[in-house]
Amino acid sequence: MLNFFTGRQHQLGALVLMRGETFIETIEEGGMAVLVLLRGTAAVSRQRAGAQVGLHLTPRLGEPVWLTSPGTYCVVAKDHVIGMRMLKIGGGT
C-alpha cells in the first residue's frame, strides 16, 4: 500500500501486491473503502463474527468494489496486482 494523499477523513493510495500477498483492510462504523484493480486478479473476503467466510468477491479490472459494511476484509492477490484504494474514515460526512 502506497499512500498518495492522507486527509482527516480520506486516504488515497496505490494497492500493489505480488502473487500470494495479502492486504488486510479494516472498515470502521461509518467508514468505507473503494478498491479498483487496474491489473491482475485478487479475491476479497470478509469473515462474519464466529462463522466462516461470509463474503467472497473477485473484482473485475477497472470496476470499483465498494466495501461499506464494518469489519475486516482480506484482499489476496492471485496474480501480481496493481490498483487504487480510497478509504473514508468513519465519523464524518
Side-chain angles (χ1 to χ4, degrees), residues 31-86:
M32 68 175 223
V34 179
L35 304 174
V36 179
L37 298 186
L38 304 173
R39 181 177 178 173
T41 307
V44 180
S45 60
R46 179 174 64 104
Q47 184 174 357
R48 292 184 183 158
Q52 294 194 2
V53 173
L55 172 74
H56 183 81
L57 301 170
T58 302
R60 294 183 187 175
L61 292 180
E63 294 185 10
V65 174
W66 300 77
L67 307 176
T68 57
S69 297
T72 301
Y73 294 82
C74 181
V75 180
V76 179
K78 295 180 179 181
D79 287 327
H80 303 309
V81 170
I82 298 174
M84 298 296 294
R85 168 190 168 261
M86 193 279 293

mmCIF file of all heavy atoms in Angstrom, residues 31-86:
data_model
loop_
_atom_site.group_PDB
_atom_site.id
_atom_site.type_symbol
_atom_site.label_atom_id
_atom_site.label_comp_id
_atom_site.label_asym_id
_atom_site.label_seq_id
_atom_site.Cartn_x
_atom_site.Cartn_y
_atom_site.Cartn_z
ATOM 1 N N GLY A 31 -17.478 4.211 8.027
ATOM 2 C CA GLY A 31 -16.424 4.303 7.025
ATOM 3 C C GLY A 31 -16.714 3.432 5.823
ATOM 4 O O GLY A 31 -17.700 2.706 5.780
ATOM 5 N N MET A 32 -15.844 3.530 4.824
ATOM 6 C CA MET A 32 -15.951 2.681 3.648
ATOM 7 C C MET A 32 -14.642 2.712 2.888
ATOM 8 O O MET A 32 -13.808 3.593 3.100
ATOM 9 C CB MET A 32 -17.086 3.111 2.734
ATOM 10 C CG MET A 32 -16.873 4.441 2.066
ATOM 11 S SD MET A 32 -18.201 4.744 0.916
ATOM 12 C CE MET A 32 -17.266 5.392 -0.435
ATOM 13 N N ALA A 33 -14.468 1.745 2.010
ATOM 14 C CA ALA A 33 -13.291 1.700 1.145
ATOM 15 C C ALA A 33 -13.750 1.366 -0.262
ATOM 16 O O ALA A 33 -14.733 0.655 -0.462
ATOM 17 C CB ALA A 33 -12.286 0.656 1.631
ATOM 18 N N VAL A 34 -13.031 1.902 -1.240
ATOM 19 C CA VAL A 34 -13.287 1.595 -2.638
ATOM 20 C C VAL A 34 -11.981 1.091 -3.228
ATOM 21 O O VAL A 34 -10.946 1.752 -3.109
ATOM 22 C CB VAL A 34 -13.771 2.835 -3.422
ATOM 23 C CG1 VAL A 34 -14.003 2.478 -4.884
ATOM 24 C CG2 VAL A 34 -15.025 3.411 -2.801
ATOM 25 N N LEU A 35 -12.023 -0.082 -3.839
ATOM 26 C CA LEU A 35 -10.858 -0.669 -4.495
ATOM 27 C C LEU A 35 -11.132 -0.756 -5.984
ATOM 28 O O LEU A 35 -12.221 -1.171 -6.395
ATOM 29 C CB LEU A 35 -10.575 -2.073 -3.958
ATOM 30 C CG LEU A 35 -10.380 -2.233 -2.461
ATOM 31 C CD1 LEU A 35 -10.249 -3.705 -2.115
ATOM 32 C CD2 LEU A 35 -9.160 -1.472 -2.004
ATOM 33 N N VAL A 36 -10.144 -0.390 -6.803
ATOM 34 C CA VAL A 36 -10.239 -0.538 -8.246
ATOM 35 C C VAL A 36 -8.960 -1.213 -8.713
ATOM 36 O O VAL A 36 -7.868 -0.663 -8.546
ATOM 37 C CB VAL A 36 -10.403 0.825 -8.963
ATOM 38 C CG1 VAL A 36 -10.472 0.631 -10.475
ATOM 39 C CG2 VAL A 36 -11.626 1.560 -8.469
ATOM 40 N N LEU A 37 -9.092 -2.414 -9.269
ATOM 41 C CA LEU A 37 -7.925 -3.123 -9.791
ATOM 42 C C LEU A 37 -7.668 -2.680 -11.223
ATOM 43 O O LEU A 37 -8.578 -2.643 -12.048
ATOM 44 C CB LEU A 37 -8.145 -4.637 -9.756
ATOM 45 C CG LEU A 37 -8.357 -5.268 -8.389
ATOM 46 C CD1 LEU A 37 -8.417 -6.786 -8.523
ATOM 47 C CD2 LEU A 37 -7.274 -4.876 -7.421
ATOM 48 N N LEU A 38 -6.414 -2.335 -11.501
ATOM 49 C CA LEU A 38 -6.023 -1.921 -12.842
ATOM 50 C C LEU A 38 -5.300 -3.037 -13.584
ATOM 51 O O LEU A 38 -5.269 -3.052 -14.810
ATOM 52 C CB LEU A 38 -5.123 -0.677 -12.757
ATOM 53 C CG LEU A 38 -5.739 0.505 -11.998
ATOM 54 C CD1 LEU A 38 -4.721 1.611 -11.818
ATOM 55 C CD2 LEU A 38 -6.981 1.001 -12.712
ATOM 56 N N ARG A 39 -4.717 -3.956 -12.823
ATOM 57 C CA ARG A 39 -4.006 -5.084 -13.413
ATOM 58 C C ARG A 39 -3.974 -6.226 -12.399
ATOM 59 O O ARG A 39 -3.835 -6.004 -11.207
ATOM 60 C CB ARG A 39 -2.585 -4.668 -13.764
ATOM 61 C CG ARG A 39 -1.804 -5.780 -14.390
ATOM 62 C CD ARG A 39 -0.440 -5.349 -14.784
ATOM 63 N NE ARG A 39 0.231 -6.523 -15.320
ATOM 64 C CZ ARG A 39 1.392 -6.506 -15.891
ATOM 65 N NH1 ARG A 39 2.040 -5.380 -16.005
ATOM 66 N NH2 ARG A 39 1.926 -7.602 -16.347
ATOM 67 N N GLY A 40 -4.101 -7.449 -12.879
ATOM 68 C CA GLY A 40 -4.009 -8.612 -12.016
ATOM 69 C C GLY A 40 -5.362 -9.108 -11.543
ATOM 70 O O GLY A 40 -6.414 -8.588 -11.918
ATOM 71 N N THR A 41 -5.320 -10.130 -10.697
ATOM 72 C CA THR A 41 -6.527 -10.757 -10.165
ATOM 73 C C THR A 41 -6.380 -10.897 -8.659
ATOM 74 O O THR A 41 -5.322 -11.275 -8.170
ATOM 75 C CB THR A 41 -6.723 -12.159 -10.777
ATOM 76 O OG1 THR A 41 -6.675 -12.049 -12.192
ATOM 77 C CG2 THR A 41 -8.042 -12.753 -10.368
ATOM 78 N N ALA A 42 -7.449 -10.598 -7.932
ATOM 79 C CA ALA A 42 -7.432 -10.709 -6.475
ATOM 80 C C ALA A 42 -8.785 -11.218 -5.999
ATOM 81 O O ALA A 42 -9.776 -11.172 -6.722
ATOM 82 C CB ALA A 42 -7.122 -9.364 -5.834
ATOM 83 N N ALA A 43 -8.805 -11.709 -4.779
ATOM 84 C CA ALA A 43 -10.044 -12.123 -4.129
ATOM 85 C C ALA A 43 -10.201 -11.299 -2.857
ATOM 86 O O ALA A 43 -9.233 -11.069 -2.136
ATOM 87 C CB ALA A 43 -10.002 -13.605 -3.786
ATOM 88 N N VAL A 44 -11.419 -10.848 -2.609
ATOM 89 C CA VAL A 44 -11.729 -10.071 -1.408
ATOM 90 C C VAL A 44 -12.715 -10.892 -0.583
ATOM 91 O O VAL A 44 -13.738 -11.340 -1.098
ATOM 92 C CB VAL A 44 -12.366 -8.710 -1.768
ATOM 93 C CG1 VAL A 44 -12.690 -7.922 -0.509
ATOM 94 C CG2 VAL A 44 -11.459 -7.913 -2.693
ATOM 95 N N SER A 45 -12.397 -11.100 0.693
ATOM 96 C CA SER A 45 -13.297 -11.865 1.554
ATOM 97 C C SER A 45 -13.424 -11.191 2.910
ATOM 98 O O SER A 45 -12.558 -10.428 3.331
ATOM 99 C CB SER A 45 -12.812 -13.305 1.716
ATOM 100 O OG SER A 45 -11.529 -13.331 2.296
ATOM 101 N N ARG A 46 -14.541 -11.483 3.576
ATOM 102 C CA ARG A 46 -14.789 -10.949 4.917
ATOM 103 C C ARG A 46 -15.439 -12.053 5.731
ATOM 104 O O ARG A 46 -16.396 -12.690 5.294
ATOM 105 C CB ARG A 46 -15.709 -9.740 4.882
ATOM 106 C CG ARG A 46 -16.004 -9.173 6.269
ATOM 107 C CD ARG A 46 -16.802 -7.892 6.180
ATOM 108 N NE ARG A 46 -18.107 -8.120 5.595
ATOM 109 C CZ ARG A 46 -19.241 -8.169 6.293
ATOM 110 N NH1 ARG A 46 -19.229 -8.007 7.596
ATOM 111 N NH2 ARG A 46 -20.382 -8.368 5.687
ATOM 112 N N GLN A 47 -14.936 -12.265 6.924
ATOM 113 C CA GLN A 47 -15.476 -13.291 7.802
ATOM 114 C C GLN A 47 -16.520 -12.681 8.724
ATOM 115 O O GLN A 47 -16.320 -11.602 9.269
ATOM 116 C CB GLN A 47 -14.364 -13.916 8.640
ATOM 117 C CG GLN A 47 -14.823 -15.050 9.514
ATOM 118 C CD GLN A 47 -13.669 -15.733 10.206
ATOM 119 O OE1 GLN A 47 -12.521 -15.390 9.995
ATOM 120 N NE2 GLN A 47 -13.971 -16.694 11.040
ATOM 121 N N ARG A 48 -17.622 -13.373 8.873
ATOM 122 C CA ARG A 48 -18.636 -12.950 9.836
ATOM 123 C C ARG A 48 -18.191 -13.382 11.221
ATOM 124 O O ARG A 48 -17.454 -14.345 11.371
ATOM 125 C CB ARG A 48 -19.982 -13.585 9.509
ATOM 126 C CG ARG A 48 -20.564 -13.074 8.228
ATOM 127 C CD ARG A 48 -21.924 -13.649 7.983
ATOM 128 N NE ARG A 48 -22.430 -13.180 6.706
ATOM 129 C CZ ARG A 48 -23.357 -13.794 6.027
ATOM 130 N NH1 ARG A 48 -23.893 -14.903 6.483
ATOM 131 N NH2 ARG A 48 -23.767 -13.309 4.881
ATOM 132 N N ALA A 49 -18.634 -12.683 12.225
ATOM 133 C CA ALA A 49 -18.240 -12.987 13.603
ATOM 134 C C ALA A 49 -18.580 -14.432 13.954
ATOM 135 O O ALA A 49 -19.744 -14.833 13.901
ATOM 136 C CB ALA A 49 -18.916 -12.034 14.580
ATOM 137 N N GLY A 50 -17.573 -15.224 14.289
ATOM 138 C CA GLY A 50 -17.768 -16.599 14.720
ATOM 139 C C GLY A 50 -18.215 -17.552 13.630
ATOM 140 O O GLY A 50 -18.673 -18.646 13.919
ATOM 141 N N ALA A 51 -18.100 -17.149 12.368
ATOM 142 C CA ALA A 51 -18.559 -18.001 11.277
ATOM 143 C C ALA A 51 -17.476 -18.097 10.203
ATOM 144 O O ALA A 51 -16.433 -17.465 10.302
ATOM 145 C CB ALA A 51 -19.836 -17.437 10.670
ATOM 146 N N GLN A 52 -17.776 -18.877 9.194
ATOM 147 C CA GLN A 52 -16.856 -18.973 8.071
ATOM 148 C C GLN A 52 -17.004 -17.733 7.203
ATOM 149 O O GLN A 52 -17.798 -16.839 7.496
ATOM 150 C CB GLN A 52 -17.134 -20.235 7.283
ATOM 151 C CG GLN A 52 -16.835 -21.481 8.098
ATOM 152 C CD GLN A 52 -16.782 -22.706 7.217
ATOM 153 O OE1 GLN A 52 -16.929 -22.634 6.020
ATOM 154 N NE2 GLN A 52 -16.554 -23.842 7.844
ATOM 155 N N VAL A 53 -16.268 -17.688 6.116
ATOM 156 C CA VAL A 53 -16.281 -16.525 5.237
ATOM 157 C C VAL A 53 -17.709 -16.210 4.808
ATOM 158 O O VAL A 53 -18.421 -17.066 4.299
ATOM 159 C CB VAL A 53 -15.386 -16.769 4.002
ATOM 160 C CG1 VAL A 53 -15.516 -15.635 3.004
ATOM 161 C CG2 VAL A 53 -13.943 -16.939 4.436
ATOM 162 N N GLY A 54 -18.124 -14.957 5.044
ATOM 163 C CA GLY A 54 -19.476 -14.542 4.718
ATOM 164 C C GLY A 54 -19.558 -13.776 3.421
ATOM 165 O O GLY A 54 -20.633 -13.566 2.890
ATOM 166 N N LEU A 55 -18.419 -13.329 2.895
ATOM 167 C CA LEU A 55 -18.395 -12.558 1.662
ATOM 168 C C LEU A 55 -17.159 -12.959 0.880
ATOM 169 O O LEU A 55 -16.064 -13.044 1.432
ATOM 170 C CB LEU A 55 -18.344 -11.057 1.979
ATOM 171 C CG LEU A 55 -18.130 -10.125 0.790
ATOM 172 C CD1 LEU A 55 -19.401 -10.041 -0.046
ATOM 173 C CD2 LEU A 55 -17.719 -8.756 1.258
ATOM 174 N N HIS A 56 -17.327 -13.216 -0.400
ATOM 175 C CA HIS A 56 -16.193 -13.558 -1.252
ATOM 176 C C HIS A 56 -16.422 -12.905 -2.609
ATOM 177 O O HIS A 56 -17.408 -13.202 -3.281
ATOM 178 C CB HIS A 56 -16.063 -15.070 -1.399
ATOM 179 C CG HIS A 56 -14.873 -15.471 -2.195
ATOM 180 N ND1 HIS A 56 -13.616 -15.535 -1.644
ATOM 181 C CD2 HIS A 56 -14.744 -15.807 -3.496
ATOM 182 C CE1 HIS A 56 -12.762 -15.905 -2.585
ATOM 183 N NE2 HIS A 56 -13.422 -16.070 -3.715
ATOM 184 N N LEU A 57 -15.537 -11.965 -2.995
ATOM 185 C CA LEU A 57 -15.662 -11.239 -4.254
ATOM 186 C C LEU A 57 -14.414 -11.427 -5.095
ATOM 187 O O LEU A 57 -13.301 -11.499 -4.565
ATOM 188 C CB LEU A 57 -15.821 -9.739 -3.996
ATOM 189 C CG LEU A 57 -16.993 -9.269 -3.163
ATOM 190 C CD1 LEU A 57 -16.819 -7.799 -2.824
ATOM 191 C CD2 LEU A 57 -18.274 -9.490 -3.921
ATOM 192 N N THR A 58 -14.583 -11.448 -6.408
ATOM 193 C CA THR A 58 -13.457 -11.408 -7.342
ATOM 194 C C THR A 58 -13.687 -10.176 -8.212
ATOM 195 O O THR A 58 -14.498 -10.208 -9.139
ATOM 196 C CB THR A 58 -13.397 -12.678 -8.206
ATOM 197 O OG1 THR A 58 -13.286 -13.804 -7.334
ATOM 198 C CG2 THR A 58 -12.194 -12.646 -9.131
ATOM 199 N N PRO A 59 -13.004 -9.067 -7.898
ATOM 200 C CA PRO A 59 -13.228 -7.815 -8.634
ATOM 201 C C PRO A 59 -12.824 -7.931 -10.104
ATOM 202 O O PRO A 59 -11.870 -8.623 -10.453
ATOM 203 C CB PRO A 59 -12.309 -6.808 -7.922
ATOM 204 C CG PRO A 59 -11.958 -7.432 -6.631
ATOM 205 C CD PRO A 59 -12.033 -8.908 -6.830
ATOM 206 N N ARG A 60 -13.564 -7.230 -10.965
ATOM 207 C CA ARG A 60 -13.217 -7.127 -12.383
ATOM 208 C C ARG A 60 -12.302 -5.933 -12.575
ATOM 209 O O ARG A 60 -12.407 -4.928 -11.861
ATOM 210 C CB ARG A 60 -14.465 -6.934 -13.226
ATOM 211 C CG ARG A 60 -15.382 -8.123 -13.210
ATOM 212 C CD ARG A 60 -16.552 -7.861 -14.124
ATOM 213 N NE ARG A 60 -17.531 -8.918 -14.005
ATOM 214 C CZ ARG A 60 -18.695 -8.897 -14.609
ATOM 215 N NH1 ARG A 60 -19.028 -7.867 -15.337
ATOM 216 N NH2 ARG A 60 -19.522 -9.903 -14.463
ATOM 217 N N LEU A 61 -11.429 -6.024 -13.553
ATOM 218 C CA LEU A 61 -10.500 -4.923 -13.829
ATOM 219 C C LEU A 61 -11.258 -3.650 -14.171
ATOM 220 O O LEU A 61 -12.193 -3.666 -14.972
ATOM 221 C CB LEU A 61 -9.564 -5.287 -14.979
ATOM 222 C CG LEU A 61 -8.558 -6.395 -14.702
ATOM 223 C CD1 LEU A 61 -7.692 -6.644 -15.944
ATOM 224 C CD2 LEU A 61 -7.676 -6.063 -13.520
ATOM 225 N N GLY A 62 -10.865 -2.549 -13.542
ATOM 226 C CA GLY A 62 -11.441 -1.247 -13.826
ATOM 227 C C GLY A 62 -12.782 -0.966 -13.183
ATOM 228 O O GLY A 62 -13.275 0.151 -13.266
ATOM 229 N N GLU A 63 -13.402 -1.952 -12.539
ATOM 230 C CA GLU A 63 -14.694 -1.737 -11.898
ATOM 231 C C GLU A 63 -14.511 -1.580 -10.387
ATOM 232 O O GLU A 63 -13.844 -2.399 -9.764
ATOM 233 C CB GLU A 63 -15.643 -2.895 -12.186
ATOM 234 C CG GLU A 63 -16.028 -2.987 -13.644
ATOM 235 C CD GLU A 63 -17.057 -4.063 -13.909
ATOM 236 O OE1 GLU A 63 -17.624 -4.639 -12.946
ATOM 237 O OE2 GLU A 63 -17.296 -4.329 -15.094
ATOM 238 N N PRO A 64 -15.092 -0.544 -9.796
ATOM 239 C CA PRO A 64 -14.908 -0.329 -8.355
ATOM 240 C C PRO A 64 -15.615 -1.378 -7.507
ATOM 241 O O PRO A 64 -16.681 -1.862 -7.863
ATOM 242 C CB PRO A 64 -15.511 1.058 -8.118
ATOM 243 C CG PRO A 64 -16.454 1.263 -9.243
ATOM 244 C CD PRO A 64 -15.926 0.476 -10.415
ATOM 245 N N VAL A 65 -14.981 -1.725 -6.406
ATOM 246 C CA VAL A 65 -15.563 -2.602 -5.398
ATOM 247 C C VAL A 65 -15.741 -1.747 -4.150
ATOM 248 O O VAL A 65 -14.773 -1.191 -3.633
ATOM 249 C CB VAL A 65 -14.654 -3.809 -5.097
ATOM 250 C CG1 VAL A 65 -15.201 -4.629 -3.949
ATOM 251 C CG2 VAL A 65 -14.497 -4.670 -6.333
ATOM 252 N N TRP A 66 -16.971 -1.628 -3.685
ATOM 253 C CA TRP A 66 -17.307 -0.804 -2.524
ATOM 254 C C TRP A 66 -17.390 -1.699 -1.301
ATOM 255 O O TRP A 66 -18.207 -2.607 -1.254
ATOM 256 C CB TRP A 66 -18.641 -0.090 -2.739
ATOM 257 C CG TRP A 66 -18.640 0.819 -3.923
ATOM 258 C CD1 TRP A 66 -18.743 0.444 -5.234
ATOM 259 C CD2 TRP A 66 -18.516 2.229 -3.922
ATOM 260 N NE1 TRP A 66 -18.687 1.544 -6.040
ATOM 261 C CE2 TRP A 66 -18.551 2.663 -5.266
ATOM 262 C CE3 TRP A 66 -18.377 3.175 -2.912
ATOM 263 C CZ2 TRP A 66 -18.457 3.998 -5.620
ATOM 264 C CZ3 TRP A 66 -18.290 4.508 -3.267
ATOM 265 C CH2 TRP A 66 -18.322 4.908 -4.596
ATOM 266 N N LEU A 67 -16.560 -1.432 -0.309
ATOM 267 C CA LEU A 67 -16.594 -2.157 0.962
ATOM 268 C C LEU A 67 -17.201 -1.216 1.990
ATOM 269 O O LEU A 67 -16.553 -0.282 2.456
ATOM 270 C CB LEU A 67 -15.182 -2.581 1.369
ATOM 271 C CG LEU A 67 -14.380 -3.355 0.321
ATOM 272 C CD1 LEU A 67 -12.973 -3.632 0.820
ATOM 273 C CD2 LEU A 67 -15.088 -4.633 -0.074
ATOM 274 N N THR A 68 -18.471 -1.435 2.311
ATOM 275 C CA THR A 68 -19.198 -0.482 3.147
ATOM 276 C C THR A 68 -19.595 -1.020 4.508
ATOM 277 O O THR A 68 -19.887 -0.238 5.402
ATOM 278 C CB THR A 68 -20.473 -0.003 2.426
ATOM 279 O OG1 THR A 68 -21.275 -1.137 2.108
ATOM 280 C CG2 THR A 68 -20.132 0.754 1.146
ATOM 281 N N SER A 69 -19.641 -2.321 4.676
ATOM 282 C CA SER A 69 -20.022 -2.900 5.966
ATOM 283 C C SER A 69 -18.821 -2.928 6.893
ATOM 284 O O SER A 69 -17.731 -3.322 6.482
ATOM 285 C CB SER A 69 -20.549 -4.324 5.782
ATOM 286 O OG SER A 69 -21.721 -4.315 5.010
ATOM 287 N N PRO A 70 -18.993 -2.514 8.142
ATOM 288 C CA PRO A 70 -17.875 -2.557 9.086
ATOM 289 C C PRO A 70 -17.345 -3.977 9.241
ATOM 290 O O PRO A 70 -18.107 -4.943 9.197
ATOM 291 C CB PRO A 70 -18.483 -2.060 10.395
ATOM 292 C CG PRO A 70 -19.712 -1.314 10.003
ATOM 293 C CD PRO A 70 -20.206 -1.975 8.753
ATOM 294 N N GLY A 71 -16.049 -4.079 9.405
ATOM 295 C CA GLY A 71 -15.421 -5.382 9.592
ATOM 296 C C GLY A 71 -14.033 -5.417 8.989
ATOM 297 O O GLY A 71 -13.510 -4.418 8.503
ATOM 298 N N THR A 72 -13.437 -6.596 9.015
ATOM 299 C CA THR A 72 -12.085 -6.787 8.489
ATOM 300 C C THR A 72 -12.178 -7.569 7.182
ATOM 301 O O THR A 72 -12.760 -8.648 7.133
ATOM 302 C CB THR A 72 -11.218 -7.551 9.500
ATOM 303 O OG1 THR A 72 -11.181 -6.797 10.710
ATOM 304 C CG2 THR A 72 -9.814 -7.725 8.982
ATOM 305 N N TYR A 73 -11.609 -6.999 6.145
ATOM 306 C CA TYR A 73 -11.602 -7.606 4.820
ATOM 307 C C TYR A 73 -10.179 -8.067 4.499
ATOM 308 O O TYR A 73 -9.209 -7.404 4.865
ATOM 309 C CB TYR A 73 -12.031 -6.594 3.759
ATOM 310 C CG TYR A 73 -13.469 -6.154 3.885
ATOM 311 C CD1 TYR A 73 -13.840 -5.165 4.789
ATOM 312 C CD2 TYR A 73 -14.459 -6.736 3.105
ATOM 313 C CE1 TYR A 73 -15.158 -4.764 4.904
ATOM 314 C CE2 TYR A 73 -15.784 -6.335 3.214
ATOM 315 C CZ TYR A 73 -16.118 -5.347 4.117
ATOM 316 O OH TYR A 73 -17.433 -4.952 4.243
ATOM 317 N N CYS A 74 -10.068 -9.158 3.781
ATOM 318 C CA CYS A 74 -8.776 -9.688 3.371
ATOM 319 C C CYS A 74 -8.718 -9.691 1.847
ATOM 320 O O CYS A 74 -9.578 -10.284 1.191
ATOM 321 C CB CYS A 74 -8.597 -11.101 3.915
ATOM 322 S SG CYS A 74 -7.018 -11.837 3.475
ATOM 323 N N VAL A 75 -7.722 -9.024 1.283
ATOM 324 C CA VAL A 75 -7.508 -8.998 -0.162
ATOM 325 C C VAL A 75 -6.310 -9.898 -0.438
ATOM 326 O O VAL A 75 -5.213 -9.650 0.068
ATOM 327 C CB VAL A 75 -7.233 -7.571 -0.667
ATOM 328 C CG1 VAL A 75 -7.007 -7.558 -2.171
ATOM 329 C CG2 VAL A 75 -8.362 -6.626 -0.273
ATOM 330 N N VAL A 76 -6.501 -10.938 -1.249
ATOM 331 C CA VAL A 76 -5.436 -11.890 -1.584
ATOM 332 C C VAL A 76 -5.161 -11.796 -3.074
ATOM 333 O O VAL A 76 -6.081 -11.924 -3.889
ATOM 334 C CB VAL A 76 -5.843 -13.340 -1.222
ATOM 335 C CG1 VAL A 76 -4.744 -14.312 -1.600
ATOM 336 C CG2 VAL A 76 -6.178 -13.445 0.249
ATOM 337 N N ALA A 77 -3.902 -11.559 -3.427
ATOM 338 C CA ALA A 77 -3.505 -11.448 -4.833
ATOM 339 C C ALA A 77 -3.336 -12.829 -5.450
ATOM 340 O O ALA A 77 -2.531 -13.625 -4.987
ATOM 341 C CB ALA A 77 -2.208 -10.666 -4.945
ATOM 342 N N LYS A 78 -4.120 -13.102 -6.493
ATOM 343 C CA LYS A 78 -3.973 -14.354 -7.237
ATOM 344 C C LYS A 78 -2.886 -14.213 -8.302
ATOM 345 O O LYS A 78 -2.278 -15.188 -8.711
ATOM 346 C CB LYS A 78 -5.293 -14.741 -7.886
ATOM 347 C CG LYS A 78 -6.382 -15.061 -6.885
ATOM 348 C CD LYS A 78 -7.654 -15.439 -7.605
ATOM 349 C CE LYS A 78 -8.761 -15.778 -6.628
ATOM 350 N NZ LYS A 78 -9.997 -16.166 -7.315
ATOM 351 N N ASP A 79 -2.692 -13.002 -8.797
ATOM 352 C CA ASP A 79 -1.626 -12.610 -9.721
ATOM 353 C C ASP A 79 -0.997 -11.350 -9.143
ATOM 354 O O ASP A 79 -1.438 -10.849 -8.118
ATOM 355 C CB ASP A 79 -2.197 -12.265 -11.106
ATOM 356 C CG ASP A 79 -2.655 -13.477 -11.882
ATOM 357 O OD1 ASP A 79 -2.047 -14.546 -11.730
ATOM 358 O OD2 ASP A 79 -3.630 -13.347 -12.646
ATOM 359 N N HIS A 80 -0.016 -10.805 -9.827
ATOM 360 C CA HIS A 80 0.535 -9.515 -9.418
ATOM 361 C C HIS A 80 -0.567 -8.469 -9.624
ATOM 362 O O HIS A 80 -1.182 -8.403 -10.678
ATOM 363 C CB HIS A 80 1.764 -9.159 -10.238
ATOM 364 C CG HIS A 80 2.846 -10.198 -10.171
ATOM 365 N ND1 HIS A 80 3.314 -10.705 -8.972
ATOM 366 C CD2 HIS A 80 3.527 -10.838 -11.129
ATOM 367 C CE1 HIS A 80 4.246 -11.596 -9.214
ATOM 368 N NE2 HIS A 80 4.391 -11.710 -10.513
ATOM 369 N N VAL A 81 -0.820 -7.671 -8.586
ATOM 370 C CA VAL A 81 -1.947 -6.733 -8.595
ATOM 371 C C VAL A 81 -1.451 -5.299 -8.495
ATOM 372 O O VAL A 81 -0.584 -4.983 -7.680
ATOM 373 C CB VAL A 81 -2.907 -7.028 -7.410
ATOM 374 C CG1 VAL A 81 -3.942 -5.935 -7.258
ATOM 375 C CG2 VAL A 81 -3.570 -8.374 -7.590
ATOM 376 N N ILE A 82 -2.031 -4.450 -9.335
ATOM 377 C CA ILE A 82 -1.832 -3.008 -9.247
ATOM 378 C C ILE A 82 -3.224 -2.395 -9.269
ATOM 379 O O ILE A 82 -4.042 -2.722 -10.124
ATOM 380 C CB ILE A 82 -0.995 -2.455 -10.417
ATOM 381 C CG1 ILE A 82 0.398 -3.066 -10.399
ATOM 382 C CG2 ILE A 82 -0.919 -0.937 -10.352
ATOM 383 C CD1 ILE A 82 1.248 -2.707 -11.586
ATOM 384 N N GLY A 83 -3.497 -1.517 -8.319
ATOM 385 C CA GLY A 83 -4.811 -0.897 -8.246
ATOM 386 C C GLY A 83 -4.786 0.371 -7.411
ATOM 387 O O GLY A 83 -3.734 0.818 -6.959
ATOM 388 N N MET A 84 -5.963 0.928 -7.220
ATOM 389 C CA MET A 84 -6.137 2.138 -6.416
ATOM 390 C C MET A 84 -7.052 1.813 -5.250
ATOM 391 O O MET A 84 -7.927 0.959 -5.354
ATOM 392 C CB MET A 84 -6.776 3.251 -7.253
ATOM 393 C CG MET A 84 -5.948 3.696 -8.446
ATOM 394 S SD MET A 84 -4.381 4.432 -7.990
ATOM 395 C CE MET A 84 -4.924 5.907 -7.178
ATOM 396 N N ARG A 85 -6.830 2.537 -4.140
ATOM 397 C CA ARG A 85 -7.629 2.346 -2.935
ATOM 398 C C ARG A 85 -7.981 3.707 -2.360
ATOM 399 O O ARG A 85 -7.116 4.564 -2.185
ATOM 400 C CB ARG A 85 -6.826 1.557 -1.916
ATOM 401 C CG ARG A 85 -7.433 1.531 -0.538
ATOM 402 C CD ARG A 85 -6.398 0.925 0.436
ATOM 403 N NE ARG A 85 -6.760 1.098 1.799
ATOM 404 C CZ ARG A 85 -6.294 2.038 2.596
ATOM 405 N NH1 ARG A 85 -5.457 2.929 2.150
ATOM 406 N NH2 ARG A 85 -6.675 2.105 3.852
ATOM 407 N N MET A 86 -9.274 3.911 -2.079
ATOM 408 C CA MET A 86 -9.724 5.125 -1.414
ATOM 409 C C MET A 86 -10.429 4.697 -0.139
ATOM 410 O O MET A 86 -11.275 3.799 -0.161
ATOM 411 C CB MET A 86 -10.706 5.919 -2.298
ATOM 412 C CG MET A 86 -10.969 7.334 -1.801
ATOM 413 S SD MET A 86 -12.173 7.541 -0.474
ATOM 414 C CE MET A 86 -13.684 7.086 -1.257
#
